[in-house]
Amino acid sequence: MKTKYLVLLSILFSWSSLLAQDDNIRLNKNAVSITAPAFTRIYSINYERVLRQKKWITTANVGFYHLPLRESTKRLKALFIGVDFLQGKKTHYLDLGMSLIIDKTADFVNFSGSPYNTAATLIPKIGYRHQKKAKGVFYRALVMPFLLEITPREPIDQLENNHFIFTSPSVDVLSLSIGYSF
């Protein structure tokens, strides 16, 4: 229930902030950020590139993240790619996006067949971004209410082949980022 209120407040705050602004700033093309708890409860390190600055600012992003798994499972590769659309004026932006998470794990103790497993998951995002200047520090708060597993990994929380998953203990609802645009 609290999640619904948090999402509603985030949307209302973002749109009311957008209407109160009057001057646009052009964001610099590159940005780096760190997000916690990210998609996976720990952190992610991200690179973002502005592709287009029209009515909606379009950005592409890529990053690496840490996924805690059980002891017998080794995380070999874990990354995500995504696209975000920013709408706003001056310093306040509504942030809508979608990320594709790809991870490869190896379990040499509890496996049948190949010990390697690759998973792909789509996560839609909605949030708020605050950036005072085109170059400099920004922060962002994102809400990720559900995920869609394209190719499921070994069920971390025994999700029983449910590919459409509302936020569960393996995915956090709220992520906070701090970054630098250059």
Side-chain angles (χ1 to χ4, degrees), residues 46-117:
N46 319 305
Y47 169 76
E48 182 178 288
R49 174 88 176 165
V50 174
L51 301 176
R52 194 180 96 155
Q53 296 193 50
K54 300 281 183 185
K55 183 176 179 181
W56 286 83
I57 298 170
T58 306
T59 65
N61 49 61
V62 63
F64 298 94
Y65 70 94
H66 176 70
L67 177 63
L69 298 172
R70 63 177 189 245
E71 287 182 30
S72 65
T73 305
K74 303 292 183 206
R75 179 182 47 82
L76 300 179
K77 297 176 184 172
L79 66 97
F80 71 89
I81 55 174
V83 63
D84 286 325
F85 301 97
L86 305 174
Q87 170 67 49
K89 296 183 178 179
K90 202 167 184 179
T91 59
H92 303 283
Y93 297 91
L94 172 67
D95 189 339
L96 301 173
M98 180 73 72
S99 289
L100 174 65
I101 297 175
I102 302 165
D103 60 65
K104 185 165 187 160
T105 58
D107 185 347
F108 296 106
V109 176
N110 304 312
F111 71 93
S112 58
S114 173
Y116 297 100
N117 186 21

Side-chain angles (χ1 to χ4, degrees), residues 3 37-42 66-70 123 144-147 149 153-160 162 164-175:
T3 304
F39 308 110
T40 59
R41 305 165 95 183
I42 306 294
H66 176 70
L67 177 63
L69 298 172
R70 63 177 189 245
I123 297 185
M144 297 166 283
F146 63 91
L147 60 89
E149 288 187 325
R153 75 175 59 80
E154 161 267 325
I156 296 171
D157 294 315
Q158 304 304 320
L159 298 172
E160 299 175 7
N162 182 6
F164 183 80
I165 303 166
F166 281 94
T167 303
S168 68
S170 64
V171 178
D172 290 299
V173 176
L174 179 67
S175 287

